[in-house]
Amino acid sequence: MTLHGLRSITIGVPDVPSAVAYYVDFGLTHSTSGNRTTARLSTTDGGEQLELVHAPRRHLASLTVGVDDADDLDRATASLTRLGVGVHRSETALVTADPVTGVQVRLKVAPRLAAASAPAPGYNAPADVVRDTSRAPGVLRETRVRPRKLGHVVFGSTDQPTTERFFTEGLGFKVSDRIPPFAAFLRCSTDHHNVLVQQAPFPLLHHTSWQVDDVDEVGRGASAMLAKDPARHVWGLGRHHIGSNFFWYLKDPAGNFSEYYADMDCIVDDQLWTPQDWTDSRALYSWGPPPPPSFLEPEDLAELMIGSHSG
């Protein structure tokens, strides 16, 4: 695979300072200061991966994907041109935009991220005691939960098939699984998915997802967020069937959902993975509480649609 990872995203929000405060509580590090119209925040392994910019309404403005070299840019340029999509090319980057949603995508020559390894948690199981006369590490942790990297972004398109072709046939993303005819899980790395494109009546950002070490960090992170503001809760704790990851979703002040996740499926060899279609409850989750209506249809959808027409 010539693409090697989702490097960063830019989100438009009406109130940058309140969004910054939320994502700092979420565990990101604010790497810029003194500006009320733009801010950048970092993860521990990925560096600056979230940019917040002032906008009249919340939306996904852009995303950046890492590639190995200029040959990768050449291939993407040729593929996008065949699709009739415009491209701006430099020696080290390619900038284009999804013709349906307007989301800008930048392919950038960049080194692959090197993540620091985390020790595997020692879980006791029947007839297999690996943690003898000691408490579980997860209950002894006192440090703040800090996301390791940006994992994926989910957004809606009014023409899902065209947006999917833009990412797959144009940019080179791979299909991991589908929820026909509504959504496709797409990857630009070995993670099960880095982009999920779903059919929607309006091109809105649904959620961003941030990797933490294990299920204890998912629970600890969400618990700390809710202790400060219970209204942030959306859905969790649970485990997805597609991707297999543990999840907990929260809501930022602009209305975007953000997810802590751990234990995502990885696809190291494309030849050994067969994408599947999912049409039952496993399309949403394997176990956990049922998703609230607001997760399936964000409460501000009508407001966003009206705002887009009036603007």
Side-chain angles (χ1 to χ4, degrees):
M1 179 181 288
T2 57
L3 310 179
H4 61 69
L6 180 61
R7 301 304 295 262
S8 65
I9 55 173
T10 299
I11 301 175
V13 294
D15 185 342
V16 171
S18 68
V20 168
Y22 171 91
Y23 286 103
V24 168
D25 287 345
F26 192 77
L28 303 186
T29 299
H30 187 198
S31 50
T32 59
S33 59
N35 191 333
R36 299 183 63 84
T37 60
T38 185
R40 291 185 176 89
L41 297 102
S42 303
T43 58
T44 59
D45 291 341
E48 288 187 349
Q49 293 199 281
L50 174 62
E51 181 180 32
L52 299 168
V53 296
H54 180 264
R57 60 183 181 276
R58 67 181 186 90
H59 70 284
L60 176 64
S62 68
L63 57 91
T64 299
V65 174
V67 302
D68 285 325
D69 53 46
D71 289 343
D72 301 328
L73 301 179
D74 291 339
R75 283 188 286 270
T77 298
S79 297
L80 290 163
T81 300
R82 283 195 295 271
L83 289 178
V85 178
V87 175
H88 177 75
R89 172 70 192 279
S90 69
E91 289 186 7
T92 58
L94 173 160
V95 179
T96 184
D98 171 32
V100 180
T101 64
V103 173
Q104 185 185 87
V105 179
R106 184 182 186 211
L107 301 189
K108 177 184 178 182
V109 176
R112 298 185 177 226
L113 291 180
S117 62
Y123 291 130
N124 286 341
D128 186 15
V129 177
V130 298
R131 196 184 69 251
D132 183 14
T133 60
S134 63
R135 300 186 194 278
V139 305
L140 298 176
R141 296 172 191 160
E142 296 181 353
T143 56
R144 288 189 60 195
V145 172
R146 296 196 179 277
R148 300 287 294 269
K149 69 173 184 178
L150 170 66
H152 59 266
V153 60
V154 177
F155 63 98
S157 169
T158 56
D159 184 350
Q160 192 276 341
T162 296
T163 298
E164 181 181 333
R165 283 195 299 273
F166 167 77
F167 277 93
T168 55
E169 297 177 23
L171 296 173
F173 279 62
K174 306 284 188 179
V175 176
S176 298
D177 284 302
R178 283 195 172 95
I179 305 174
F182 305 109
F185 294 76
L186 312 176
R187 66 184 186 276
C188 61
S189 72
T190 57
D191 292 341
H192 177 273
H193 57 282
N194 303 106
V195 167
L196 193 164
V197 180
Q198 59 188 21
Q199 184 68 31
F202 181 79
L204 81 165
L205 172 62
H206 187 271
H207 75 264
T208 61
S209 188
W210 306 83
Q211 184 187 54
V212 293
D213 285 341
D214 54 36
V215 65
D216 281 296
E217 297 299 88
V218 173
R220 292 180 63 242
S223 295
M225 291 288 284
L226 299 180
K228 193 162 187 178
D229 184 357
R232 291 168 166 173
H233 175 70
V234 177
W235 184 27
L237 172 72
R239 187 160 195 160
H240 287 302
H241 190 90
I242 304 177
S244 300
N245 52 295
F246 295 103
F247 67 81
W248 200 318
Y249 295 88
L250 304 132
K251 184 168 67 173
D252 76 13
N256 305 301
F257 302 148
S258 59
E259 175 191 16
Y260 289 117
Y261 82 90
D263 195 21
M264 174 76 75
D265 289 337
C266 287
I267 304 171
V268 178
D269 187 337
D270 293 339
Q271 302 302 314
L272 300 179
W273 183 269
T274 301
Q276 291 183 251
D277 292 346
W278 303 94
T279 57
D280 57 19
S281 63
R282 292 174 295 177
L284 286 168
Y285 65 131
S286 179
W287 57 259
S294 63
F295 184 83
L296 303 176
E297 184 175 310
E299 295 172 344
D300 62 348
L301 178 59
E303 179 183 344
L304 290 170
M305 295 175 69
I306 292 171
S308 69
H309 294 308
S310 63

